[in-house]
Amino acid sequence: MDYLKTVIPSNLFAERGTNIVVINPGSANIRIGLAQQDTPFNIPHCISRRTTQLPKRNVQDQMLNSQVTTAQHMERERAYDIIASLLRIPFLGEEIANSSYARKMGRVDTDPPQNNMKEPVFSWADVFEKNVPPPSVTAVEDAPNEGDTSESPTLKESKIKVEPNSRERKYREYICGEEALRISPTEPYCLRRPIRRGHLNVSQHYSTQQVLEDLHTIWDWILVEKLHIPHRERNMYSAILVIPETFDNREIKEMLSIVLHDLCFGSAVVHQEGLAAAFGNGLSTACIVNMGAQVTSVICVEDGVALPTTHISLRFGGEDISRCLLWTQRHHQTWPPIRTDALSKPVDLLMLNRLKESYCQIKEGEVEAVAMVHSYEDGMPPGSHKTRLTALNVPPMGLFYPTLLVPDVYPPPPRTWLKDCDDMLEDTWHMDFSGGGAYPMWESYPVYQTKPKKEDDIGLDIGLAEAITKSILATGRIDLQRKLFCSMQLIGGAASVYGLIPAVEERVLHAIPSHEAIDTVEVLQSRTNPAFVSWKGGAILGILDISREAWIHREDWIRNGIHIGSGRKYKDSYYLQAQAMCYMNL
């Protein structure tokens, strides 16, 4: 403890973070890196495997997707008109000339300034193995750029085998990361996303064995190609799994088996994503709003402990905003006459995500921008189309009015195919936290008498502001509620939308019932990139956990697993959180 009081934080990370790998898996991206790094690698969480199946599917789980129904379309139009009245823009279908109020204009290509950028053109990925000049069996390993923390478009495939005197080009068996999203639909590949809407993507179209095998392949590829950790050295490294609260225990067990058994890490520990986010920004009490690509989660943290009764999960995120952007432009007839399909053509979703990040924002008045839109036709070079995008402030408002996003077109995987009897936060409810003497910080902590309701299947009509308000009010204590309403934290990729913070503050304030004695709300600015806050918090938790009493060792997991009362339980993160909080407060 004396050492932790005097050590310089940068030195602590350099000393203890060299052999700790922090893994934060998400539905669309995985953030992974050594704990000593400032930022992790942020890589699309997907893999394309060569297939001979006919008829060929571009995406493994595309059969789960659905079309927009007439009722959903009518609800979407109603949501658009509600948003239009709030933003002071014409209603859907209303001619500009008939507008009865003074219109405001704002151009995103000049405000905010960081959006003034040229949209990248994504080239088709080379699906063939690289031929090596010497006519002998060779292993080639491309060295990635040391300073790059995102997926590079260059080809990276380890151990490429070339048969003697072979001049024939061979397809690569699998391709991971962003490159997997840029494969032409005419090539014999099928894209797989092992996680969908916050759960393992198991269905009748994508078996449990395939999902777990793909997870192992993607993670192993990143460890070798990005972190340069070969298989023979894995036992000298420890892994920290920063897991979203949406996962249940069965899914966490499978991931732990991949880390400890298949990837051969020496030890591992699991932390909740919301709790790690609080530590990532140096907070002990906060309402964490995690806005990912496919799921938005809300959970409250008090004194370094995540409160299970406050967890709410919403089935929409940044990718839904991107699809809504496409619908908005097509409705206003500003989208070029090209075949853009965000659901079955991954490269189109990649382009829409970039357009959303560059131009979408929340502000009053009409928001337009001149942008370059690219078409990716089968087997053809990418085409460029200069167009005027309009109503760019409408799609991100779908976070507050989710019927605009129609998230049901991309539903979560059916839970009947992979389900456990409890979730990540439940098991601690059967334990006695008070007394015992081992952890004195729990002596005065309140013990809940009822099991929290699982909110994973909450209705889609509830928006972000209502979810935040419901989560905070679920704490049941006015002093804590006031503190949480003034300590909201927006994290995740979708949290970077320009103008989102004041919009959240305004709408949360109006969502608070009038009989509640709360009149102040505040969103705290993130100290680092909102997309990496949870990953950074996981690194902090791992480095500060000196005793590692709750860590699981590879031999223990393979031989016996972890059982209640063993002293090391992967899902019993409360004790470990309290330990780390004590270290941080010293």
Side-chain angles (χ1 to χ4, degrees):
M1 295 297 180
D2 292 337
Y3 170 73
L4 290 176
K5 293 178 181 178
T6 58
V7 68
I8 300 174
S10 58
N11 292 344
L12 184 64
F13 274 78
E15 293 172 8
R16 297 182 52 81
T18 56
N19 66 338
I20 298 177
V21 177
V22 184
I23 305 172
N24 180 208
S27 300
N29 298 287
I30 177 172
R31 292 150 293 277
I32 185 171
L34 293 172
Q36 66 175 1
Q37 296 177 207
D38 291 332
T39 56
F41 291 93
N42 190 33
I43 299 171
H45 206 183
C46 58
I47 181 173
S48 281
R49 291 190 181 272
R50 190 166 67 92
T51 181
T52 57
Q53 182 180 3
L54 292 175
K56 184 182 80 73
R57 289 197 296 257
N58 292 336
V59 182
Q60 181 74 18
D61 59 348
Q62 67 185 42
M63 299 301 294
L64 296 180
N65 303 334
S66 62
Q67 299 294 323
V68 179
T69 65
T70 302
Q72 290 171 338
H73 184 72
M74 293 176 63
E75 290 176 351
R76 166 179 267 181
E77 291 184 336
R78 282 196 293 268
Y80 186 104
D81 287 342
I82 293 173
I83 293 171
S85 65
L86 294 172
L87 298 178
R88 296 181 59 80
I89 61 176
F91 295 125
L92 201 60
E94 179 184 1
E95 293 296 331
I96 295 178
N98 296 332
S99 179
S100 59
Y101 52 80
R103 293 163 48 206
K104 299 181 181 179
M105 289 293 293
R107 296 192 60 87
V108 185
D109 48 357
T110 58
D111 180 21
Q114 63 267 26
N115 286 345
N116 189 16
M117 60 181 72
K118 185 178 180 180
E119 295 76 33
V121 180
F122 299 105
S123 59
W124 294 121
D126 187 352
V127 297
F128 294 101
E129 292 182 348
K130 287 184 177 180
N131 288 327
V132 182
S136 59
V137 179
T138 310
V140 176
E141 184 171 338
D142 295 334
N145 187 352
E146 296 290 342
D148 187 16
T149 60
S150 61
E151 172 64 2
S152 171
T154 59
L155 302 179
K156 299 184 184 297
E157 181 69 27
S158 64
K159 299 182 179 179
I160 301 176
K161 296 182 179 179
V162 180
E163 295 182 358
N165 302 319
S166 174
R167 297 296 179 186
E168 160 182 348
R169 302 189 75 186
K170 296 184 178 180
Y171 284 109
R172 299 155 69 180
E173 288 302 316
Y174 66 85
I175 301 173
C176 299
E178 185 188 281
E179 200 177 5
L181 300 174
R182 297 187 289 105
I183 296 178
S184 171
T186 60
E187 301 292 355
Y189 284 85
C190 182
L191 183 79
R192 298 177 176 184
R193 292 185 182 273
I195 300 178
R196 176 179 173 125
R197 292 287 192 203
H199 287 289
L200 293 185
N201 193 6
V202 178
S203 69
Q204 64 269 37
H205 312 290
Y206 198 3
S207 69
T208 304
Q209 182 178 354
Q210 289 177 321
V211 168
L212 300 179
E213 182 182 344
D214 288 343
L215 275 177
H216 169 234
T217 303
I218 296 169
W219 295 7
D220 185 68
W221 174 80
I222 296 173
L223 291 171
V224 173
E225 296 294 327
K226 302 297 182 182
L227 300 182
H228 310 293
I229 304 176
H231 296 85
R232 63 180 180 274
E233 298 178 6
R234 298 270 174 83
N235 63 321
M236 296 184 291
Y237 286 80
S238 298
I240 298 174
L241 276 173
V242 181
I243 300 294
E245 286 79 7
T246 53
F247 286 110
D248 60 35
N249 280 345
R250 167 76 186 278
E251 294 168 320
I252 300 171
K253 293 171 188 174
E254 299 293 357
M255 290 188 183
L256 268 174
S257 292
I258 291 174
V259 167
L260 293 173
H261 183 273
D262 301 331
L263 297 178
C264 301
F265 278 94
S267 60
V269 71
V270 174
H271 286 297
Q272 299 162 222
E273 195 172 51
L275 186 280
F279 278 87
N281 271 320
L283 303 173
S284 61
T285 299
C287 177
I288 305 298
V289 185
N290 190 352
M291 308 167 68
Q294 299 179 12
V295 176
T296 297
S297 295
V298 184
I299 193 167
C300 295
V301 176
E302 181 189 11
D303 294 334
V305 178
L307 306 178
T309 52
T310 65
H311 176 231
I312 294 178
S313 214
L314 305 173
R315 297 195 300 268
F316 53 81
E319 289 185 355
D320 299 281
I321 298 176
S322 299
R323 286 191 286 268
C324 183
L325 172 64
L326 175 62
W327 172 79
T328 304
Q329 303 313 311
R330 280 178 168 166
H331 187 89
H332 288 286
Q333 299 181 351
T334 59
W335 196 257
I338 57 179
R339 294 183 300 171
T340 305
D341 189 345
L343 289 174
S344 63
K345 201 190 299 181
V347 69
D348 284 343
L349 181 59
L350 198 61
M351 173 191 65
L352 288 168
N353 283 335
R354 295 292 175 89
L355 290 173
K356 172 200 67 181
E357 294 166 1
S358 299
Y359 298 111
C360 281
Q361 60 174 286
I362 298 178
K363 64 183 294 186
E364 280 192 9
E366 295 182 52
V367 180
E368 300 178 341
V370 177
M372 196 68 69
V373 173
H374 304 290
S375 59
Y376 300 92
E377 304 294 341
D378 298 353
M380 300 290 291
S384 299
H385 310 266
K386 191 174 183 179
T387 186
R388 177 184 61 86
L389 304 179
T390 189
L392 292 168
N393 49 351
V394 172
M397 287 293 290
L399 295 170
F400 305 101
Y401 302 92
T403 53
L404 176 76
L405 304 178
V406 196
D408 276 344
V409 301
Y410 190 80
R415 301 301 298 135
T416 55
W417 290 86
L418 182 73
K419 189 172 180 64
D420 202 356
C421 59
D422 49 9
D423 67 83
M424 184 180 183
L425 299 175
E426 283 181 350
D427 220 45
T428 49
W429 292 85
H430 305 293
M431 302 186 66
D432 181 15
F433 288 104
S434 60
Y439 300 95
M441 74 287 296
W442 288 103
E443 293 289 347
S444 59
Y445 196 82
V447 178
Y448 297 90
Q449 299 301 322
T450 58
K451 194 176 185 179
K453 179 182 177 182
K454 180 70 173 175
E455 292 285 359
D456 189 44
D457 298 321
I458 195 168
L460 293 176
D461 290 337
I462 185 173
L464 182 61
E466 291 78 12
I468 294 173
T469 303
K470 183 177 181 179
S471 174
I472 295 177
L473 293 180
T475 59
R477 290 163 39 205
I478 186 62
D479 58 327
L480 179 58
Q481 291 168 359
R482 287 174 175 168
K483 189 172 184 180
L484 290 171
F485 273 116
C486 292
S487 304
M488 294 183 289
Q489 187 78 60
L490 305 185
I491 66 168
S496 300
V497 173
Y498 181 81
L500 180 61
I501 290 179
V504 168
E505 290 176 338
E506 177 184 356
R507 281 156 183 81
V508 167
L509 186 60
H510 285 93
I512 299 173
S514 57
H515 64 270
E516 298 288 348
I518 299 168
D519 56 6
T520 305
V521 299
E522 182 180 0
V523 174
L524 303 179
Q525 291 284 348
S526 178
R527 298 183 182 181
T528 184
N529 187 330
F532 303 151
V533 172
S534 293
W535 179 91
K536 190 64 177 179
I540 293 172
L541 284 166
I543 289 174
L544 292 179
D545 185 17
I546 304 296
S547 65
R548 293 198 174 188
E549 293 179 0
W551 289 59
I552 309 162
H553 297 282
R554 183 172 187 266
E555 296 78 10
D556 293 338
W557 182 260
I558 293 174
R559 183 169 58 248
N560 299 319
I562 300 299
H563 305 284
I564 293 177
S566 65
R568 287 196 297 267
K569 281 175 69 256
Y570 68 91
K571 50 197 171 185
D572 177 18
S573 56
Y574 282 175
Y575 284 146
L576 186 54
Q577 293 164 14
Q579 281 182 281
M581 197 64 212
C582 283
Y583 299 147
M584 180 171 283
N585 288 336
L586 289 175

